[in-house]
Amino acid sequence: QVQLVESGGGSVQAGGSLRLSCVASGYSYSISCMAWFRQAPGLAREGVAFINSAGDGGYTNSVKGRFTISRDNARNTLYLQMNSLKVEDAAMYYCAAKPSSANCYSDSESWFDYWGRGTQVTVSS
């Protein structure tokens, strides 16, 4: 069965950095659209970054220039490097997968088939 396991969350001060990881199993990882979503308390889940099989990434405006999404197809691992963190970046971060889709045709959470349990990111001022 498909599994996505996130790690790397934690508590940092504003301006700091974190690197999230998501290890995938149970499907052909190299042919998949992968994404990071986040959800803060009381808010809807939002797409943060997306990456296709070729490694081309896309970002929501609020994180452009600060976050970098990448993937290692040999290790079945997705990453999110988060720099210059802001208090408003604090949220639960989720890894999402759309297997068998080399490209990311949608940024809607409903388009993605599988989700991890999340890793918490806390940013203090």
Side-chain angles (χ1 to χ4, degrees):
Q1 69 277 23
V2 174
Q3 283 193 317
L4 301 172
V5 181
E6 303 98 332
S7 62
S11 297
V12 295
Q13 288 192 322
S17 298
L18 283 174
R19 188 195 196 201
L20 306 184
S21 299
C22 171
V23 178
S25 61
Y27 69 101
S28 181
Y29 175 79
S30 62
I31 306 175
S32 63
C33 169
M34 300 294 297
W36 288 99
F37 283 75
R38 66 187 180 187
Q39 187 169 22
L43 298 179
R45 191 175 298 189
E46 66 166 342
V48 175
F50 305 82
I51 189 167
N52 64 11
S53 292
D56 301 317
Y59 305 89
T60 192
N61 286 339
S62 62
V63 308
K64 283 181 181 177
R66 300 187 298 120
F67 290 12
T68 302
I69 189 171
S70 62
R71 66 192 296 163
D72 184 337
N73 288 341
R75 296 177 184 268
N76 285 10
T77 304
L78 177 73
Y79 302 100
L80 185 68
Q81 178 67 45
M82 305 187 294
N83 298 329
S84 302
L85 280 161
K86 303 177 180 181
V87 171
E88 51 264 41
D89 293 319
M92 184 72 81
Y93 281 71
Y94 298 92
C95 171
K98 180 72 173 181
S100 304
S101 181
N103 292 303
C104 299
Y105 295 107
S106 173
D107 59 3
S108 170
E109 65 174 297
S110 63
W111 186 69
F112 289 84
D113 296 323
Y114 298 98
W115 295 82
R117 292 193 170 193
T119 185
Q120 183 69 45
V121 172
T122 303
V123 185
S124 59
S125 58

